[in-house]
């Protein structure tokens, strides 16, 4: 322990200071490390610091226990705070990334829902359009024409199709277009339609050599 008068370090069992002669009673020599002070300082560092300042001169060992507890508690709290900040940043970053991905997915889904499908996509997914032979029949007054077309609904629900057909020559140039209407076809149902029933007589030779293609399809669900 330390002498309260001169501050010299003396034996804990001494009853007086060998340096200045100051005598001690039993309460003054009762100085030993305190586990309670250490625990209190660890959980409440400010209290540990106050106890250290109060007992530093009177009971240095107890004061040291409180001071060590406060120091360890303070350091521990700083380390835990840093770890919590890191975990928060990681969690917030992950959450932000997930939210951003969800928003992007929803935007894409909404965009796809409102996007009009192309003719090629409709032909691939929902409908088959096949062409028969272009026929020319002379009734004695003028030539009657027809192109037989089969439309089959591949969708799993009832659909209506507005189909624009084009006739093109060997160079790919368009000769003429016509539209057919397949109304309310059930799933797997097909219908036989005709196109180009009124062709300009001057274009007959071109039509006889023409290739027929689907130019555009509009699809409506029920």
């Amino acid at each position: 322990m330390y002498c309260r008068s001169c501050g010299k370090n003396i034996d804990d069992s001494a009853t007086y200071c060998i340096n200045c002669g100051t005598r001690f009673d039993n309460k003054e020599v009762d100085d030993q490390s305190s586990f309670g002070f250490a625990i209190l300082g660890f959980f409440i560092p400010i209290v540990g610091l106050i106890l250290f300042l109060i007992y530093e001169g009177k009971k240095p060992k107890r004061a040291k226990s409180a001071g060590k507890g406060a120091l360890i508690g303070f350091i521990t709290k700083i380390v835990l705070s840093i770890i919590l900040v890191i975990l928060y940043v990681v969690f917030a970053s992950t959450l932000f990334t997930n939210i951003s991905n969800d928003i992007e997915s929803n935007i894409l889904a909404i965009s796809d829902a409102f996007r009009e499908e192309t003719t090629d996509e409709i032909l691939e997914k929902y409908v088959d359009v096949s062409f028969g032979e272009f026929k020319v029949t002379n009734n004695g007054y003028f030539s009657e024409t027809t192109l037989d077309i089969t439309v089959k609904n591949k969708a799993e629900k009832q659909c209506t199709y507005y189909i624009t057909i084009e006739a093109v020559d060997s160079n790919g140039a368009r000769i003429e277009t016509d539209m057919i209407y397949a109304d309310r076809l059930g799933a797997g149902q097909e219908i036989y339609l005709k196109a180009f029933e009124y062709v300009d007589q001057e274009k007959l030779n071109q039509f006889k050599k023409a290739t027929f293609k689907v130019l555009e399809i509009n699809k409506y669900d029920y």
Side-chain angles (χ1 to χ4, degrees), residues 80-175:
L80 289 176
S81 297
I82 293 173
I83 293 174
L84 288 175
V85 169
I86 293 173
L87 291 176
Y88 174 79
V89 170
V90 172
F91 173 77
S93 177
T94 302
L95 182 62
F96 178 77
T97 300
N98 291 337
I99 291 175
S100 298
N101 290 338
D102 289 341
I103 292 174
E104 184 178 355
S105 298
N106 290 334
I107 291 174
L108 290 175
I110 293 172
S111 177
D112 287 340
F114 286 95
R115 182 181 67 85
E116 292 186 2
E117 293 176 293
T118 66
T119 294
D120 289 339
E121 289 174 335
I122 294 174
L123 284 171
E124 181 180 355
K125 297 178 183 178
Y126 306 113
V127 63
D128 277 330
V129 180
S130 55
F131 301 103
E133 181 183 357
F134 179 74
K135 299 176 182 177
V136 179
T137 305
N138 193 315
N139 63 8
Y141 298 97
F142 59 89
S143 295
E144 297 179 346
T145 61
T146 183
L147 174 67
D148 295 328
I149 302 173
T150 303
V151 179
K152 182 175 182 180
N153 181 25
K154 297 190 295 183
E156 297 180 353
K157 56 185 174 181
Q158 190 180 71
C159 298
T160 291
Y161 300 97
Y162 290 89
I163 307 172
T164 301
I165 308 299
E166 68 172 346
V168 296
D169 62 20
S170 58
N171 296 318
R174 182 181 299 164
I175 303 171

